[in-house]
Every structure is written in structure tokens, then in C-alpha cells.
Amino acid sequence: MSGELLFRARGLTKVYGTGTAQVVALRAVDLDLMAGEFVVILGPSGSGKSTLLNILGGLDVPSAGDVTFRDHVLTGASENALTQYRREHVGFVFQFYNLIPGLTALENVQLVTDLTRNDPHERGAEDPAEALRLVGLGDRLDFFPAQLSGGEQQRVAIARAVAKRPDVLLCDEPTGALDFETGILVLEALRRANRERGTSAVVITHNVGIAAMADRVLRMRSGAVIGTTVNAAPCEPADLSW
Ligand SMILES: Nc1ncnc2c1ncn2[C@@H]1O[C@H](COP(=O)(O)OP(=O)(O)OP(=O)(O)O)[C@@H](O)[C@H]1O
Ligand SMILES: [Mg+2]
């Protein structure tokens, strides 16, 4: 970790709806995330995990409070500025992989690196095949999504997110649709991207076991961060027992 502050959130509050339909999804959350950190967010369903991640990723805006990414103030930024922020700095990984069925693994990743390459703000996309090797899919470059297992498809999605060299990977239940063994391979891929590329990662999960591999664990309940644990010696994904 470089000691550089990546995200700083203060008093983040999100209220959905009005009147009796009102839901307070986030209640004055304060959060500092350092560059290079691998953070896991745990919490029961409805505790505000996705809401927090979406606000950090510029996919949603808070009702109150502030969030900054490095020296960019995200709160109140225009839709164009948020789009540019997402494109340049954030790699998203969701529960379902959203690969394009008619393109091979390599082409799915290339789609993103080609876009990045044509972006005047880009700072050099990664070689798509190299990104796939990073996630252990060097021997699956020419496979179509239908020819890949769920875990392999998710690793293509991670390669796609990594290949544009984001500063942070924001992952919402990346192992949610996978079994234990497969989930571990996905975690290994994320951890490698974090260690070898220095890419920060925020990973939402319901699985307490995953927390052991994080540098830091945030526990959420009812829209608040109710606890933070620092792992001085995070364990390797392969050593996890769920
Ligand atoms: N677009 C929306 N409109 C109204 N309420 C919403 C909306 N999105 C989320 N909520 C509510 O905000 C609360 C927090 O939702 P959020 O999706 O952040 O929870 P979560 O911790 O990610 O849950 P899960 O583990 O089930 O994914 C929930 O009570 C949810 O119903
Ligand atoms: Mg969620």
C-alpha cells in the first residue's frame, strides 16, 4: 500500500423514496480507502453495501455527504464527469458477468482495451491476453462464454475490468453465483490483480470466510459501518475455509 488516500467519504447518506415508502440505505457513513488496499465489505441483505459501492463508483449519487476520489470531488459532479471518472479509474465486477456471447474471451477483453486505447485520457491499456493470463485463463483465450464455466466467465470479467488499468476494482458479490472451489479461483484472480498491479479492490460479499484474505474488513448493518477490522497478515485465498 502506498499510503495515498484513494477515497474519502464523509457523512454519506442515501435516502430512497418518500413518505411511508422512504428507505434510508446509508446513514452518515465515513470511510477512508487507501491506494492498494484490498477491502471486503460484509453485512446482511439490505444493509447498504451495494448502495455504498455504487456511490464510490459514480453509478449513484448520495442524498447528503461528500465523497472524493483522490482530488476529484464526486459529489455534485456532472453526469459527464462521472462517466469519465468511471471510464478512467474504475473497474466494475458484478455477480453476473455480462460477457458478450458472440465474442471470445480475448475479444470480450479487447473490446474494452480498444475503447481505452482510443480514449485521449487513457494511460495505456494492458495487453488483453496478458490480463487473461493474470486471472489464469491463458489457455482459454479463444473460448466463447458458453464454453466457459461460471468461474471462468467471472475471471474473464475480472480480466476485462483489470485490462483498462483502473485504480480500483469495485466488486459486488463477485462469487455470489459460484460454488466454494470456483469462488476461490475468482478471489485468487482479484488478489493477484491487487498484488501484482497494485490495483485497489473493494469486494462485497455475504461470505464471512472471504474476509480473512482482506487487508481490511468493513461490517455494515442498517446503512451504517458498524465495525472495521485490519488483518495484519491476510491469508491466501487457497487457505480459506468457508
Ligand atoms: N433504487 C432503490 N429504490 C428504493 N430502495 C432501494 C433502492 N436501492 C436500494 N434500496 C433499498 O436500500 C437498502 C439498501 O440496499 P442495498 O442494495 O445497498 O443493500 P445490500 O447490502 O447491497 O443488500 P444485498 O446483500 O441484498 O445485495 C435496501 O433496504 C433496499 O431495499
Ligand atoms: Mg447488494
Side-chain angles (χ1 to χ4, degrees):
M1 267 176 269
S2 66
E4 181 203 356
L5 189 60
L6 201 63
F7 285 107
R8 177 188 161 90
R10 290 296 177 268
L12 270 196
T13 297
K14 180 71 181 183
V15 181
Y16 290 109
T18 53
T20 51
Q22 196 178 78
V23 176
V24 183
L26 288 182
R27 296 169 199 272
V29 168
D30 295 338
L31 178 68
D32 287 336
L33 182 72
M34 310 306 284
E37 223 180 353
F38 195 108
V39 173
V40 158
I41 301 181
L42 291 177
S45 183
S47 57
K49 305 181 298 295
S50 296
T51 304
L52 176 60
L53 199 84
N54 290 343
I55 291 174
L56 294 179
L59 291 172
D60 201 353
V61 294
S63 312
D66 293 301
V67 56
T68 56
F69 172 85
R70 297 216 173 105
D71 49 2
H72 306 273
V73 181
L74 300 184
T75 329
S78 68
E79 194 47 56
N80 276 348
L82 286 179
T83 302
Q84 187 165 327
Y85 157 70
R86 289 194 299 265
R87 205 169 50 209
E88 286 179 36
H89 300 288
V90 185
F92 291 100
V93 180
F94 297 107
Q95 182 170 350
F96 300 104
Y97 330 117
N98 303 318
L99 301 178
I100 296 177
L103 298 181
T104 64
L106 186 67
E107 289 165 346
N108 265 282
V109 179
Q110 257 164 0
L111 205 60
V112 169
T113 53
D114 286 351
L115 279 177
T116 309
R117 207 159 277 129
N118 293 330
D119 187 326
H121 301 286
E122 61 90 11
R123 56 198 142 149
E126 171 149 5
D127 172 37
E130 192 51 44
L132 284 160
R133 281 193 281 274
L134 177 78
V135 299
L137 291 179
D139 56 352
R140 293 285 188 278
L141 304 185
D142 298 324
F143 282 52
F144 290 91
Q147 300 171 315
L148 297 169
S149 72
E152 288 168 344
Q153 290 182 59
Q154 185 62 298
R155 284 185 283 151
V156 175
I158 292 170
R160 181 180 57 186
V162 164
K164 66 174 194 177
R165 295 191 199 276
D167 295 286
V168 63
L169 292 168
L170 297 179
C171 312
D172 197 342
E173 301 195 39
T175 63
L178 303 173
D179 64 31
F180 167 76
E181 300 288 338
T182 315
I184 285 184
L185 295 174
V186 166
L187 292 175
E188 269 171 353
L190 285 172
R191 200 49 164 141
R192 267 172 83 178
N194 169 250
R195 292 242 173 95
E196 294 182 19
R197 303 288 190 276
T199 313
S200 308
V202 183
V203 182
I204 293 178
T205 180
H206 280 284
N207 200 314
V208 181
I210 292 179
M213 59 169 282
D215 296 320
R216 192 151 60 104
V217 181
L218 303 179
R219 286 189 179 69
M220 294 190 70
R221 183 173 295 273
S222 305
V225 176
I226 57 163
T228 299
T229 313
V230 174
N231 280 339
C235 81
E236 296 302 317
D239 298 330
L240 293 180
S241 53
W242 297 3

